[in-house]
């Protein structure tokens, strides 16, 4: 058994165990600069055999490390301990390379050129003198062929889309799709156009198991990727016709975005215990 002093930096931080019916498919070390995920040997994954504080001193294997995440949510535990049901990591706010935008005021029009860091041109066009940042973002969506594009100033701050474009000489465009990683009985990554603002899930053996993520508008299930929007919960304008009717019958799917994209299972930890 290794001493704590001899452990590598990725094994530092607060240690959490992902509790799956009293087994530990994963051990997570949460630090200021990120989170690292480890597995234990199968014969020692029952947490009663390995105290959590000593878990990282046993023979562990690194599964993944996520550095400099936007945010880490730690799921609930049934007794307030560091044995938790799951975690959610906001890995990145935005994907792909940035594109630098140059704006030149030519009197009646604004000349706009946009290229990546290698100089490859994405946009070269003219916009009306009264154009706003929203017009630039629309050009970016068409050129990048994605629906989620954000515009940043030279300091990396988001620029409101109602700002006059002529107020800027240079800006930056980037695909603003979020990347998240869910750590539970299995680990999977996914992308979302919406920002998750809260996360909830209880313990698998405590009857409160379904992980749910909430954005400003909707609440989503991380188990079946379904959505519970304000319309379906009765918070919106739509209502069922009668006592026996379901709100789904009158639900317009266009009011719910398809929020989970490109789901990729990274590690099926719990399958080893089933």
């Amino acid at each position: 058994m290794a001493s704590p002093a001899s452990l590598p930096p990725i094994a530092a931080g607060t240690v959490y165990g992902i509790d799956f019916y009293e087994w530990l498919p994963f051990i997570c070390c949460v630090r200021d600069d990120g989170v690292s995920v480890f597995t234990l040997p199968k014969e020692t994954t029952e947490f009663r055999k390995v105290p959590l504080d000593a878990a990282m001193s046993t023979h562990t294997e690194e599964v993944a490390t996520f550095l400099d995440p936007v945010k880490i949510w730690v799921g609930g535990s049934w007794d307030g301990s560091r044995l938790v049901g799951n975690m959610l990591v906001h890995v990145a706010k935005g994907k792909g390379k940035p594109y630098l935008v140059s704006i030149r005021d030519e009197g009646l029009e604004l000349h706009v050129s946009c290229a990546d860091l290698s100089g490859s041109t994405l946009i070269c066009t003219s916009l009306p003198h009264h154009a706003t940042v929203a017009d630039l973002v629309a050009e970016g969506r068409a050129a990048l062929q994605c629906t989620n594009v954000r515009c940043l100033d030279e300091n990396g701050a988001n620029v409101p889309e109602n700002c006059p474009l002529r107020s800027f000489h240079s800006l930056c465009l980037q695909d603003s799709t979020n990347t998240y990683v869910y750590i539970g009985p299995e680990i999977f990554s996914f992308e979302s156009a919406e920002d998750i603002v809260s996360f909830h899930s209880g313990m698998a053996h405590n009857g409160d198991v379904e992980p749910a993520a909430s954005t400003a508008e909707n609440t989503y299930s991380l188990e079946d990727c379904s959505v519970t929007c304000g319309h379906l919960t009765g918070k919106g304008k739509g209502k069922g016709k009668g006592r026996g009717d379901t709100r789904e019958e009158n639900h317009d799917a266009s009011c719910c975005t398809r929020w989970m994209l490109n789901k990729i299972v990274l590690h099926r930890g719990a399958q080893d215990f089933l």
Side-chain angles (χ1 to χ4, degrees):
M1 180 177 290
S3 66
S6 66
L7 294 175
I10 59 172
T14 303
V15 180
Y16 293 92
I18 301 299
D19 184 356
F20 179 70
Y21 292 99
E22 300 186 353
W23 294 83
L24 288 178
F26 301 109
I27 298 289
C28 301
C29 295
V30 178
R31 309 175 303 278
D32 290 340
D33 68 339
V35 55
S36 296
V37 187
F38 301 83
T39 58
L40 291 165
K42 186 174 180 180
E43 63 272 14
T44 61
T45 51
E46 189 175 4
F47 71 74
R48 290 192 180 92
K49 297 179 181 178
V50 181
L52 189 57
D53 289 333
M56 291 310 302
S57 298
T58 66
H59 177 70
T60 57
E61 179 181 351
E62 182 187 5
V63 174
T65 292
F66 307 101
L67 293 176
D68 301 319
V70 179
K71 187 175 179 61
I72 300 172
W73 290 273
V74 178
S77 66
W78 64 274
D79 59 357
S81 71
R82 285 180 282 118
L83 290 170
V84 300
N86 37 49
M87 290 186 182
L88 184 65
V89 183
H90 189 173
V91 176
K93 189 176 179 64
K95 58 180 289 190
K97 54 189 175 183
Y99 290 86
L100 302 180
V101 182
S102 175
I103 302 108
R104 187 173 70 248
D105 192 336
E106 296 184 335
L108 296 178
E109 293 182 323
L110 300 174
H111 177 75
V112 177
S113 60
C114 179
D116 62 19
L117 297 179
S118 69
S120 178
T121 300
L122 178 70
I123 300 170
C124 185
T125 189
S126 294
L127 293 175
H129 195 258
H130 61 267
T132 64
V133 171
D135 298 306
L136 172 63
V137 170
E139 293 283 342
R141 290 193 186 105
L144 291 171
Q145 296 184 340
C146 67
T147 58
N148 309 297
V149 174
R150 62 176 176 169
C151 184
L152 308 174
D153 64 16
E154 59 185 11
N155 298 315
N158 284 305
V159 179
E161 293 192 8
N162 60 355
C163 290
L165 190 57
R166 63 179 179 272
S167 301
F168 304 92
H169 296 293
S170 63
L171 291 168
C172 178
L173 292 179
Q174 187 181 32
D175 183 338
S176 61
T177 304
N178 295 286
T179 303
Y180 296 91
V181 170
Y182 172 75
I183 306 169
E186 64 179 6
I187 302 175
F188 62 82
S189 65
F190 64 93
E191 296 175 352
S192 174
E194 298 185 59
D195 290 340
I196 292 174
V197 296
S198 65
F199 170 72
H200 167 75
S201 184
M203 302 294 290
H205 56 275
N206 197 39
D208 181 18
V209 298
E210 183 172 333
S214 296
T215 68
E217 299 293 333
N218 301 315
T219 297
Y220 302 100
S221 167
L222 283 164
E223 285 194 344
D224 58 14
C225 309
S226 66
V227 60
T228 304
C229 71
H231 182 108
L232 297 180
T233 59
K235 296 178 181 178
K237 295 181 180 180
K239 295 182 180 180
K241 296 178 182 179
R243 186 179 182 87
D245 295 325
T246 62
R247 291 189 173 91
E248 285 84 349
E249 293 174 354
N250 300 322
H251 179 230
D252 180 3
S254 65
C255 74
C256 297
T257 57
R258 181 174 176 236
W259 81 290
M260 185 182 284
L261 307 172
N262 299 329
K263 178 180 176 181
I264 300 174
V265 176
L266 305 177
H267 199 289
R268 298 184 181 277
Q271 284 193 349
D272 294 337
F273 314 127
L274 299 178

